[in-house]
Amino acid sequence: MRHILAVAAMTFSLAAVAALTFFLAAPAPVKADQQPVSMRVKAPELVEVTDWVNSKPFKLADQKGKVVVLHFWTFG
């Protein structure tokens, strides 16, 4: 009985991974002239940043082609 449950769990897991891969597949690249104007405007540099957590200070221009996640928060 445990063997049947293990096989069923593995089959379900593989089906879930296959479904996620299918639905989350990257869309075809969009040409620059087809992107919204907001996507063609460079992000402004971060100025007057006083504290950095978990990284050294960096410039956005140096991060071109990389995924950058910035988490902003405030106290008060």
Side-chain angles (χ1 to χ4, degrees), residues 11-63:
T11 303
F12 179 78
S13 297
L14 290 173
V17 168
L20 285 174
T21 303
F22 176 78
F23 288 112
L24 298 178
V30 178
K31 295 179 182 177
D33 61 340
Q34 295 175 332
Q35 291 180 348
V37 173
S38 62
M39 296 294 290
R40 289 184 254 152
V41 176
K42 291 183 180 180
E45 281 297 335
L46 302 171
V47 294
E48 299 181 20
V49 176
T50 58
D51 295 315
W52 291 80
V53 179
N54 294 333
S55 77
K56 296 178 182 176
F58 65 87
K59 293 183 179 181
L60 289 178
D62 297 337
Q63 306 304 315

Side-chain angles (χ1 to χ4, degrees), residues 1-16:
M1 182 68 177
R2 282 194 284 173
H3 176 70
I4 293 172
L5 291 175
V7 170
M10 181 66 83
T11 303
F12 179 78
S13 297
L14 290 173

